[in-house]
Amino acid sequence: MGDDPCPCDSATDGQADEPESTSDRWIPETPVLEAPLPSDVRAALGRLLGEEAIETLAEWCTEIRRRTGGGPIAVDDLCHTGEETAHRGETDGKRYYFRCFYDAVILSALAETPVAIRTESPGGAVIEARAVGTTELTVTPETAVFSVGVDETVALPPDDGPSHSTIYAAVCPYVRAFPDLEAYERWATTVPAATVAMPLAGATELAAELVA
């Protein structure tokens, strides 16, 4: 978001027919905002903010909004870049490139017209979506999922809390889209982060909470 650094990592991914898993790394149900996060994700998110464990994505959104002045995220807060990246959103004839793929989803919650989203998984697979506000998201492939995570090695913040750039560096590389659940699961074993995945088709639920 903004001009702060928002690095992205890369790794390998694979293919699967159905987004099904018995792993606690998968949140298939809705609302995803209220689903309990895996214990290591809860602990790592809490450590990043210098708080107790963050239990749900709804709680995470509340903390992020508190650190942006208590208000919703705006277009200018997104992780824009002047260079072409693998993560972009296009609306009303204007194309935005982002350092983090999920900012294109948030853009759809802020834009008055539909947003065409294109991103690439860590292994290079193309994922596309068309979003209309926070109520409609059509995804290709339909099996696509996305991850939320945080660097497990992140240090405790100073007394006044973590900087925006620290939060972006710890989280943005692990908020990624994948063509299917198996792709995510393979990637998750290669990164030094606590992560969890959920259907990309439900991604606007999280965006709606951030901009409400």
Side-chain angles (χ1 to χ4, degrees):
M1 300 179 184
D3 294 328
D4 290 306
C6 190
C8 293
D9 289 347
S10 62
T12 59
D13 60 11
Q15 298 293 325
D17 293 329
E18 295 292 337
E20 298 177 355
S21 176
T22 58
S23 169
D24 66 352
R25 300 289 149 187
W26 173 239
I27 302 177
E29 72 273 14
T30 55
V32 296
L33 291 175
E34 303 300 333
L37 295 170
S39 59
D40 58 347
V41 177
R42 297 199 301 266
L45 287 175
R47 181 179 179 84
L48 171 63
L49 299 179
E51 304 282 351
E52 297 295 329
I54 302 296
E55 300 295 328
T56 65
L57 289 177
E59 185 178 342
W60 170 249
C61 289
T62 298
E63 290 296 327
I64 291 299
R65 290 181 60 175
R66 184 166 68 85
R67 285 165 169 76
T68 57
I73 289 175
V75 172
D76 289 344
D77 295 321
L78 300 179
C79 208
H80 296 278
T81 175
E83 301 176 352
E84 291 188 10
T85 68
H87 320 298
R88 71 183 190 226
E90 188 168 344
T91 182
D92 200 23
K94 185 172 183 180
R95 179 174 293 178
Y96 299 85
Y97 287 98
F98 300 106
R99 295 185 179 93
C100 301
F101 116 85
Y102 196 76
D103 286 49
V105 180
I106 298 176
L107 176 65
S108 73
L110 299 169
E112 297 181 355
T113 55
V115 176
I117 299 167
R118 184 187 186 280
T119 188
E120 293 180 10
S121 71
V126 173
I127 297 97
E128 296 180 313
R130 182 181 184 273
V132 180
T134 61
T135 60
E136 179 183 334
L137 184 66
T138 305
V139 178
T140 303
E142 294 181 352
T143 54
V145 306
F146 78 104
S147 64
V148 173
V150 61
D151 184 349
E152 288 184 305
T153 66
V154 66
L156 283 169
D159 291 341
D160 59 352
S163 67
H164 286 178
S165 60
T166 296
I167 293 176
Y168 303 151
V171 174
C172 283
Y174 310 111
V175 181
R176 303 299 299 268
F178 302 85
D180 49 52
L181 183 59
E182 184 181 355
Y184 156 74
E185 290 177 331
R186 293 183 181 183
W187 169 84
T189 66
T190 71
V191 294
T195 67
V196 66
M198 58 210 77
L200 183 56
T204 52
E205 183 182 339
L206 178 57
E209 185 72 10
L210 289 169
V211 305

